[in-house]
Amino acid sequence: MIIDGKSIAEKIKNDLKTEILELKSKGIIPTLAVVLVGENSASKIYVRNKKKACEEIGIYSEEFNLPENTSEDELIDLIEKLNSNSDINGILVQLPLPLHINEKKIAEAIDPIKDVDVFNPINTGRLISGDTTLIPCTPKGIAELFDYEKISLKGKHCVIIGRSNIVGKPLAMLMLQKDATVTICHSKTKNLEKICQNADIIIAAIGKPKFITKNMVKNGCVIIDVGINRNKDGTICGDADFDEVKDIASYITPVPGGVGPMTIAMLLENTIITTKMQNNIDIKKGEI
Ligand code: NAD
């Protein structure tokens, strides 16, 4: 079965529209600051898509475009202004940043209560300790896919390939909280094929096209494909060899149309959550 992330994301966005109307009736306009430094063309597309998604559901977004030669201090100055501006509910700094800017310092500069991407170590620490109020967008989107498809993780062997701070590591924490037995693999892992053959669930966040092949997948395995790779003809594909593994897997996410739209939907949801936190409004159960 192919998991239709695009239509699940649409449903979530529709639910969020109702919540935004409720907030607006209280005089609260959820507002996201989107900061882009430099001219990275992929980043420009991501920012445009995120802003468009905000507009679609009624989140106000303000874009801050800074030149490539912006210094780390200048960027931190802007973040501090946004931190203290009560009209701003969420702050997103699009990665990657130019090499002269330390991404870790920038993540630490964002006020945890406005940290919609959930990159601030205070929030990642909270996630490790079991507080799931704010969860990074891609891991959260993947968890929602499991919920929507009613795929239980209890006792399942979940193999995550990739150990980035934005996907692999927080995802491992989340899957652990959902009672999976988690193995995290990476570029130095030995016997990856064997480990994958034992997996009930494989989540690939590698960035290598057709990396997951049929010899790695056991019958009935769930495959979540996070990878976004550009083909020579400009189209995109995931990390799994979709045609080869789709009939062995019980569930699989396509690329495009799987994890990607969920990531954006979760950014919107996190913006609503931070808006509510700042206005002392209860976050509905089941929302997180
Ligand atoms: P990354 O690009 O920072 O790192 C890649 C990871 O893959 C590393 O942890 C590395 O150890 C692992 N890896 C590389 N080669 C490997 C190998 N041969 N065997 C096993 N592991 C290997 O990771 P990222 O930022 O999480 O991105 C991974 C992919 O996911 C990229 O294609 C990225 O574009 C995509 N991505 C998609 C979304 C989405 O919303 N769909 C969100 C974030 C990232």
Side-chain angles (χ1 to χ4, degrees):
M1 181 173 162
I2 296 169
I3 301 179
D4 186 353
K6 201 170 168 212
S7 75
I8 297 171
E10 283 307 317
K11 280 185 205 140
I12 293 170
K13 287 198 280 186
N14 258 329
D15 291 346
L16 290 176
K17 269 187 199 165
T18 319
E19 295 214 32
I20 291 165
L21 286 176
E22 259 176 55
L23 286 169
K24 286 188 173 166
S25 72
K26 295 187 174 101
I28 301 163
I29 301 165
T31 300
L32 177 67
V34 183
V35 182
L36 178 64
V37 186
E39 298 295 324
N40 183 316
S41 53
S43 292
K44 280 185 178 172
I45 296 172
Y46 289 137
V47 163
R48 198 172 60 214
N49 289 343
K50 288 170 186 176
K51 285 196 68 198
K52 203 171 134 225
C54 283
E55 266 166 39
E56 261 171 43
I57 67 161
I59 292 176
Y60 180 67
S61 68
E62 249 185 85
E63 194 172 338
F64 297 83
N65 288 310
L66 305 179
E68 184 83 24
N69 63 359
T70 301
S71 70
E72 193 174 278
D73 284 347
E74 284 169 328
L75 180 56
I76 291 176
D77 270 355
L78 171 64
I79 292 170
E80 280 170 357
K81 280 193 189 110
L82 297 171
N83 282 343
S84 53
N85 180 347
S86 59
D87 290 338
I88 301 288
N89 304 111
I91 302 170
L92 178 158
V93 178
Q94 183 64 45
L95 300 182
L97 289 167
L99 290 175
H100 64 275
I101 300 179
N102 182 336
E103 287 182 357
K104 227 174 127 212
K105 272 198 189 161
I106 300 308
E108 284 173 18
I110 297 171
D111 187 336
I113 207 171
K114 297 191 177 185
D115 180 25
V116 286
D117 263 335
V118 198
F119 293 159
N120 186 310
I122 292 183
N123 282 328
T124 40
R126 285 179 180 148
L127 178 62
I128 289 170
S129 67
D131 177 351
T132 50
T133 312
L134 279 174
I135 305 171
C137 304
T138 303
K140 182 173 172 160
I142 293 169
E144 290 263 351
L145 288 179
F146 285 118
D147 287 349
Y148 262 81
E149 297 296 345
K150 299 192 169 51
I151 301 169
S152 164
L153 287 135
K154 208 173 203 166
K156 300 274 174 66
H157 183 205
C158 176
V159 172
I160 298 171
I161 316 175
R163 56 174 161 179
S164 70
N165 286 336
I166 59 170
V167 184
K169 284 186 207 163
L171 184 63
M173 290 304 125
L174 208 52
M175 297 298 101
L176 204 56
Q177 274 168 27
K178 289 185 168 285
D179 295 330
T181 302
V182 181
T183 303
I184 308 171
C185 300
H186 47 81
S187 53
K188 307 289 184 296
T189 298
K190 289 184 179 144
N191 301 321
L192 182 65
E193 189 178 320
K194 261 217 157 91
I195 296 169
C196 287
Q197 283 165 355
N198 271 314
D200 301 307
I201 297 158
I202 295 175
I203 309 181
I206 312 156
K208 293 197 168 153
K210 299 194 177 183
F211 188 91
I212 306 294
T213 46
K214 64 177 178 198
N215 51 309
M216 302 167 90
V217 179
K218 79 171 178 190
N219 249 329
C221 181
V222 176
I223 302 176
I224 305 291
D225 194 345
V226 184
I228 301 177
N229 308 295
R230 200 156 286 280
N231 296 313
K232 281 191 191 126
D233 62 2
T235 56
I236 63 164
C237 69
D239 287 346
D241 188 335
F242 187 84
D243 290 331
E244 202 179 285
V245 298
K246 71 176 192 312
D247 295 327
I248 311 169
S250 56
Y251 290 87
I252 185 166
T253 59
V255 179
V259 175
M262 292 299 288
T263 298
I264 294 197
M266 294 304 107
L267 169 71
L268 305 175
E269 193 168 292
N270 277 350
T271 306
I272 302 307
I273 291 175
T274 57
T275 303
K276 286 183 176 175
M277 285 162 83
Q278 286 151 49
N279 288 282
N280 298 316
I281 299 170
D282 272 353
I283 299 158
K284 272 185 211 151
K285 260 198 166 165
E287 192 173 63
I288 51 174

